[in-house]
Amino acid sequence: MTDPLTDLDRAGSYALGDRRVKRLGYGAMQLAGPHVFGPPKDRNRALAVLRAAVAGGVNHIDTSDFYGPHVTNQIIREALHPYPDDLVIVTKVGAKRGADASWKPAFSAEALTRAVHDNLRHLGLDALDVVNLRVMFDVHGPAEGSIEAPLTVLADLQRQGLVRRIGLSNVTARQVAEGRSIAEIVCVQNAYNLAHRADDALINALADAGIAYVPFFPLGGFSPLQSTTLSEVARRLGATPMQVALAWLLRRAPNILLIPGTSSVEHLHENMAAAGLTLPDAAMAELDRIATPAGGG
């Protein structure tokens, strides 16, 4: 492995609308407390992780005001404001948190408008770089249903200058097509990783259209990836299994942007170093067999 900054450059960059970001960024969800609710155990540690990410070359941070709620955005502002000119902060709306830490839909025009203003206030911004509409027909995964009404609200906020670019999260291919008929969509954020590959065809279609695909849970999320094949490939390459899993995603398609999250500076640097890991063709073939394209296995 080499210096993290060099590694990030080796992974290249991709467009988010009219902005380009490095393909390995940072997801802020883990900066909140347990179950993404309440404050972190160590706020200073959370601040240090964000500052280390930007110092290491990260220029794409993913967040939401419903993380905490409000916690991660407030920490991002404290750690990084005023923001570097090249930093793109992507947030999302469409959900809210219950008092019991549950995740609930927040799809009304009033709720979406309030969420955009909350993100603006807590991040200390006049306009949001990218806002993903988090679709909540099923909290556990994509489910069909029209997104015309909530996306029209976001498009109106975009016309007002409060939102610069729009993305979609937790969506089906049909919803992506519907969304593109309403507004320019610059990214899609769905669950996807080495073992769960239901979006293979969607990723390829988005690449053809020049739209970024941002997998959340790239390392398995609350259930970390476990695979004998993954561990063996990592051993041969002198890397960790998680580094190999991230490197596989970077090679999987040029439009994939990664946002692995962590609350540890050490783990952050480990993730960043994955951008400099080269996977031989034979290793890619082995890893591809871990899951079927339909996401099984």
Side-chain angles (χ1 to χ4, degrees), residues 85-276:
D85 290 342
D86 69 335
L87 180 63
V88 175
I89 298 177
V90 179
T91 188
K92 62 185 71 64
V93 297
K96 63 181 179 180
R97 307 302 297 278
D100 59 352
S102 59
W103 303 79
K104 300 179 178 181
F107 251 32
S108 70
E110 179 184 10
L112 293 169
T113 301
R114 182 169 59 249
V116 165
H117 283 280
D118 285 347
N119 277 282
L120 287 167
R121 183 173 65 257
H122 291 128
L123 287 168
L125 292 169
D126 295 323
L128 298 172
D129 289 323
V130 182
V131 176
N132 286 324
L133 176 65
R134 167 74 183 196
V135 177
M136 295 286 288
F137 296 127
D138 185 340
V139 69
H140 300 295
E144 294 295 355
S146 175
I147 61 172
E148 179 181 3
L151 190 56
T152 298
V153 174
L154 265 191
D156 185 54
L157 292 166
Q158 184 181 41
R159 284 188 289 272
Q160 294 176 37
L162 300 178
V163 173
R164 293 195 178 100
R165 304 162 197 86
I166 295 173
L168 298 172
S169 179
N170 199 43
V171 287
T172 67
R174 184 177 299 176
Q175 287 163 341
V176 172
E178 181 185 26
R180 294 183 67 195
S181 73
I182 298 167
E184 180 185 3
I185 302 301
V186 302
C187 58
V188 172
Q189 187 180 102
N190 278 1
Y192 181 85
N193 55 50
L194 183 60
H196 301 281
R197 299 177 52 186
D199 272 0
D200 271 342
L202 177 60
I203 290 170
N204 296 339
L206 293 173
D208 290 342
I211 297 172
Y213 183 90
V214 188
F216 60 80
F217 295 157
L219 300 177
F222 301 115
S223 301
L225 296 172
Q226 301 288 334
S227 165
T228 302
T229 300
L230 177 60
S231 297
E232 176 58 25
V233 170
R235 185 193 64 77
R236 293 201 308 265
L237 295 177
T240 69
M242 297 303 97
Q243 286 173 328
V244 171
L246 292 174
W248 178 87
L249 284 165
L250 288 170
R251 184 168 170 184
R252 165 63 185 83
N255 62 322
I256 286 180
L257 299 176
L258 299 186
I259 49 169
T262 178
S263 58
S264 158
V265 171
E266 181 180 19
H267 189 206
L268 170 75
H269 287 151
E270 179 183 317
N271 287 342
M272 293 168 70

Side-chain angles (χ1 to χ4, degrees), residues 26 28 31 46-56 58-63 72-85 87-89 123-125:
Y26 175 77
L31 296 183
L47 295 169
V49 169
L50 284 164
R51 290 167 179 156
V54 171
V58 166
N59 63 358
H60 171 204
I61 292 177
D62 181 84
T63 185
T72 61
N73 281 355
Q74 292 170 349
I75 292 174
I76 289 170
R77 181 175 183 173
E78 181 178 347
L80 302 176
H81 195 279
Y83 303 113
D85 290 342
L87 180 63
V88 175
I89 298 177
L123 287 168
L125 292 169

